[in-house]
Amino acid sequence: MRKLSVALCLGLLAVVTLPVQADEVAVLDWRAALMETDAAQRSMNELRNRLSGQQQEAETLGQELQQMQQRLQQQGESMTETERRTAMQAFQQKGQRFEQLRQEIGQARQQSEQQFLQEAEPKLDQAVQQVIDRHGVEVLVDPNGVLHAERELQNLTGEVTEILNTLQ
Protein backbone atom coordinates (compact mmCIF):
# COMPACT_ATOMS: atom_id res chain seq x y z
CA MET A 1 0.00 0.00 0.00
CA ARG A 2 2.83 2.38 0.80
CA LYS A 3 4.28 1.86 -2.65
CA LEU A 4 0.92 2.64 -4.26
CA SER A 5 0.36 5.69 -2.04
CA VAL A 6 3.80 7.07 -2.89
CA ALA A 7 3.15 6.45 -6.58
CA LEU A 8 -0.18 8.25 -6.37
CA CYS A 9 1.38 11.24 -4.58
CA LEU A 10 4.19 11.43 -7.11
CA GLY A 11 1.60 11.16 -9.86
CA LEU A 12 -0.28 14.11 -8.43
CA LEU A 13 2.89 16.18 -8.30
CA ALA A 14 3.64 15.29 -11.89
CA VAL A 15 0.15 16.38 -12.96
CA VAL A 16 0.59 19.72 -11.25
CA THR A 17 4.13 20.42 -12.46
CA LEU A 18 4.47 18.81 -15.89
CA PRO A 19 2.52 19.38 -19.07
CA VAL A 20 1.22 15.92 -20.00
CA GLN A 21 -1.12 14.61 -22.63
CA ALA A 22 -4.64 13.86 -21.35
CA ASP A 23 -4.42 10.28 -22.63
CA GLU A 24 -1.32 9.70 -20.52
CA VAL A 25 -3.13 10.73 -17.35
CA ALA A 26 -5.80 8.57 -15.71
CA VAL A 27 -7.73 8.35 -12.46
CA LEU A 28 -7.92 5.36 -10.16
CA ASP A 29 -9.94 5.14 -6.97
CA TRP A 30 -8.06 2.14 -5.61
CA ARG A 31 -10.21 2.02 -2.45
CA ALA A 32 -13.38 1.73 -4.52
CA ALA A 33 -11.75 -0.83 -6.80
CA LEU A 34 -10.89 -2.99 -3.79
CA MET A 35 -14.22 -2.56 -2.00
CA GLU A 36 -16.21 -3.51 -5.09
CA THR A 37 -14.41 -6.82 -5.54
CA ASP A 38 -16.02 -10.17 -4.89
CA ALA A 39 -13.37 -10.85 -2.24
CA ALA A 40 -14.28 -7.67 -0.33
CA GLN A 41 -17.96 -8.57 -0.42
CA ARG A 42 -17.17 -12.08 0.86
CA SER A 43 -14.97 -10.65 3.60
CA MET A 44 -17.68 -8.21 4.72
CA ASN A 45 -20.33 -10.93 4.71
CA GLU A 46 -18.11 -13.26 6.74
CA LEU A 47 -17.45 -10.50 9.26
CA ARG A 48 -21.13 -9.59 9.43
CA ASN A 49 -22.06 -13.25 10.04
CA ARG A 50 -19.33 -13.70 12.64
CA LEU A 51 -20.35 -10.57 14.55
CA SER A 52 -24.12 -10.85 14.16
CA GLY A 53 -24.66 -12.13 17.73
CA GLN A 54 -22.55 -9.39 19.27
CA GLN A 55 -24.13 -6.78 17.00
CA GLN A 56 -27.62 -7.86 18.02
CA GLU A 57 -26.67 -7.88 21.70
CA ALA A 58 -25.22 -4.37 21.38
CA GLU A 59 -28.35 -3.07 19.66
CA THR A 60 -30.57 -4.61 22.34
CA LEU A 61 -28.40 -3.18 25.11
CA GLY A 62 -28.45 0.23 23.46
CA GLN A 63 -32.24 0.22 23.41
CA GLU A 64 -32.42 -1.00 27.01
CA LEU A 65 -29.99 1.73 28.11
CA GLN A 66 -32.12 4.40 26.45
CA GLN A 67 -35.24 3.07 28.14
CA MET A 68 -33.50 2.88 31.51
CA GLN A 69 -32.19 6.42 31.15
CA GLN A 70 -35.64 7.73 30.30
CA ARG A 71 -37.15 5.85 33.24
CA LEU A 72 -34.50 7.23 35.62
CA GLN A 73 -35.11 10.75 34.36
CA GLN A 74 -38.88 10.46 34.62
CA GLN A 75 -39.19 8.47 37.83
CA GLY A 76 -35.88 9.19 39.53
CA GLU A 77 -37.35 11.62 42.05
CA SER A 78 -40.15 9.27 43.06
CA MET A 79 -37.86 6.24 43.51
CA THR A 80 -36.54 5.21 46.87
CA GLU A 81 -32.81 5.46 47.43
CA THR A 82 -32.49 1.66 47.17
CA GLU A 83 -34.48 1.54 43.90
CA ARG A 84 -32.44 4.38 42.43
CA ARG A 85 -29.14 2.77 43.49
CA THR A 86 -30.22 -0.60 42.07
CA ALA A 87 -31.33 1.03 38.81
CA MET A 88 -28.06 2.95 38.53
CA GLN A 89 -26.00 -0.20 39.13
CA ALA A 90 -27.97 -2.07 36.46
CA PHE A 91 -27.53 0.91 34.11
CA GLN A 92 -23.77 0.98 34.72
CA GLN A 93 -23.41 -2.78 34.21
CA LYS A 94 -25.31 -2.66 30.94
CA GLY A 95 -23.32 0.38 29.89
CA GLN A 96 -20.05 -1.41 30.57
CA ARG A 97 -21.17 -4.46 28.60
CA PHE A 98 -22.31 -2.20 25.76
CA GLU A 99 -18.92 -0.46 25.68
CA GLN A 100 -17.11 -3.82 25.78
CA LEU A 101 -19.16 -5.08 22.83
CA ARG A 102 -18.57 -1.86 20.91
CA GLN A 103 -14.80 -2.22 21.39
CA GLU A 104 -14.81 -5.92 20.45
CA ILE A 105 -16.81 -5.23 17.28
CA GLY A 106 -14.52 -2.33 16.35
CA GLN A 107 -11.39 -4.43 16.90
CA ALA A 108 -12.80 -7.31 14.86
CA ARG A 109 -13.64 -4.94 11.99
CA GLN A 110 -10.20 -3.38 12.10
CA GLN A 111 -8.47 -6.77 12.13
CA SER A 112 -10.63 -8.02 9.29
CA GLU A 113 -9.93 -4.92 7.18
CA GLN A 114 -6.21 -5.14 7.89
CA GLN A 115 -6.10 -8.82 6.94
CA PHE A 116 -8.07 -8.16 3.76
CA LEU A 117 -5.76 -5.30 2.75
CA GLN A 118 -2.63 -7.37 3.42
CA GLU A 119 -3.95 -10.17 1.23
CA ALA A 120 -5.20 -7.78 -1.48
CA GLU A 121 -2.13 -5.52 -1.75
CA PRO A 122 -0.04 -7.72 -4.08
CA LYS A 123 -3.08 -8.37 -6.28
CA LEU A 124 -3.91 -4.67 -6.37
CA ASP A 125 -0.35 -3.84 -7.40
CA GLN A 126 -0.56 -6.47 -10.13
CA ALA A 127 -3.96 -5.25 -11.39
CA VAL A 128 -2.84 -1.61 -11.40
CA GLN A 129 0.31 -2.47 -13.32
CA GLN A 130 -1.71 -4.41 -15.92
CA VAL A 131 -4.02 -1.45 -16.46
CA ILE A 132 -1.14 1.04 -16.60
CA ASP A 133 0.61 -1.12 -19.20
CA ARG A 134 -2.57 -1.68 -21.22
CA HIS A 135 -3.43 2.02 -21.43
CA GLY A 136 0.09 3.48 -21.54
CA VAL A 137 -0.64 5.60 -18.49
CA GLU A 138 2.23 7.81 -17.39
CA VAL A 139 0.47 9.57 -14.51
CA LEU A 140 -2.12 7.87 -12.33
CA VAL A 141 -3.95 9.96 -9.75
CA ASP A 142 -6.51 9.37 -7.05
CA PRO A 143 -9.87 11.12 -7.68
CA ASN A 144 -9.32 13.19 -4.54
CA GLY A 145 -5.96 14.29 -5.86
CA VAL A 146 -7.21 15.90 -9.06
CA LEU A 147 -7.07 19.62 -8.53
CA HIS A 148 -8.10 20.63 -12.04
CA ALA A 149 -8.59 18.92 -15.38
CA GLU A 150 -9.64 20.60 -18.62
CA ARG A 151 -11.10 17.30 -19.80
CA GLU A 152 -12.46 14.37 -17.86
CA LEU A 153 -9.67 11.96 -17.06
CA GLN A 154 -9.91 8.32 -18.01
CA ASN A 155 -11.20 6.41 -14.95
CA LEU A 156 -9.62 2.97 -14.61
CA THR A 157 -11.31 1.96 -11.34
CA GLY A 158 -13.80 -0.47 -12.89
CA GLU A 159 -11.15 -2.14 -14.98
CA VAL A 160 -8.90 -2.63 -11.95
CA THR A 161 -11.86 -4.14 -10.06
CA GLU A 162 -12.50 -6.58 -12.92
CA ILE A 163 -8.86 -7.68 -12.94
CA LEU A 164 -8.85 -8.04 -9.15
CA ASN A 165 -11.87 -10.33 -9.39
CA THR A 166 -9.99 -12.59 -11.83
CA LEU A 167 -6.98 -12.72 -9.49
CA GLN A 168 -9.00 -14.00 -6.52
Side-chain angles (χ1 to χ4, degrees):
M1 283 304 181
R2 287 184 213 134
K3 189 171 25 172
L4 182 60
S5 297
V6 169
L8 289 174
C9 289
L10 290 175
L12 177 59
L13 286 174
V15 167
V16 174
T17 59
L18 297 175
V20 271
Q21 299 291 324
D23 293 342
E24 297 169 345
V25 180
V27 174
L28 170 65
D29 186 342
W30 63 270
R31 291 169 200 84
L34 276 177
M35 294 312 294
E36 293 171 9
T37 62
D38 298 337
Q41 298 305 314
R42 277 192 307 274
S43 179
M44 285 189 284
N45 286 336
E46 288 170 6
L47 179 64
R48 201 174 295 124
N49 291 338
R50 191 167 37 114
L51 297 178
S52 65
Q54 290 174 307
Q55 195 77 39
Q56 181 62 42
E57 183 181 353
E59 288 173 18
T60 301
L61 276 172
Q63 291 169 357
E64 288 175 7
L65 285 166
Q66 282 182 330
Q67 291 169 355
M68 290 175 79
Q69 185 178 24
Q70 289 172 351
R71 183 174 159 247
L72 283 169
Q73 288 173 346
Q74 292 170 354
Q75 300 174 358
E77 296 298 321
S78 63
M79 296 174 118
T80 67
E81 185 62 32
T82 303
E83 289 173 327
R84 193 174 15 257
R85 194 171 325 139
T86 302
M88 286 301 294
Q89 286 175 343
F91 184 80
Q92 288 175 344
Q93 287 175 345
K94 287 183 188 246
Q96 288 172 346
R97 176 64 181 150
F98 178 81
E99 184 59 29
Q100 178 187 5
L101 285 168
R102 192 184 70 72
Q103 288 178 359
E104 288 173 4
I105 291 168
Q107 287 174 346
R109 280 191 179 132
Q110 187 177 20
Q111 288 171 350
S112 179
E113 288 172 9
Q114 190 173 22
Q115 180 181 352
F116 172 74
L117 289 174
Q118 284 176 342
E119 292 170 3
E121 183 178 3
K123 294 174 186 175
L124 177 63
D125 289 342
Q126 183 181 354
V128 169
Q129 191 59 54
Q130 283 182 28
V131 171
I132 287 172
D133 293 344
R134 182 178 302 142
H135 292 277
V137 173
E138 291 182 19
V139 179
L140 186 62
V141 295
D142 187 271
N144 297 327
V146 177
L147 300 176
H148 173 77
E150 291 293 320
R151 300 185 322 190
E152 190 168 319
L153 300 176
Q154 183 177 11
N155 189 336
L156 303 176
T157 303
E159 192 170 340
V160 169
T161 300
E162 289 175 19
I163 293 171
L164 282 169
N165 281 333
T166 65
L167 296 175
Q168 306 301 324

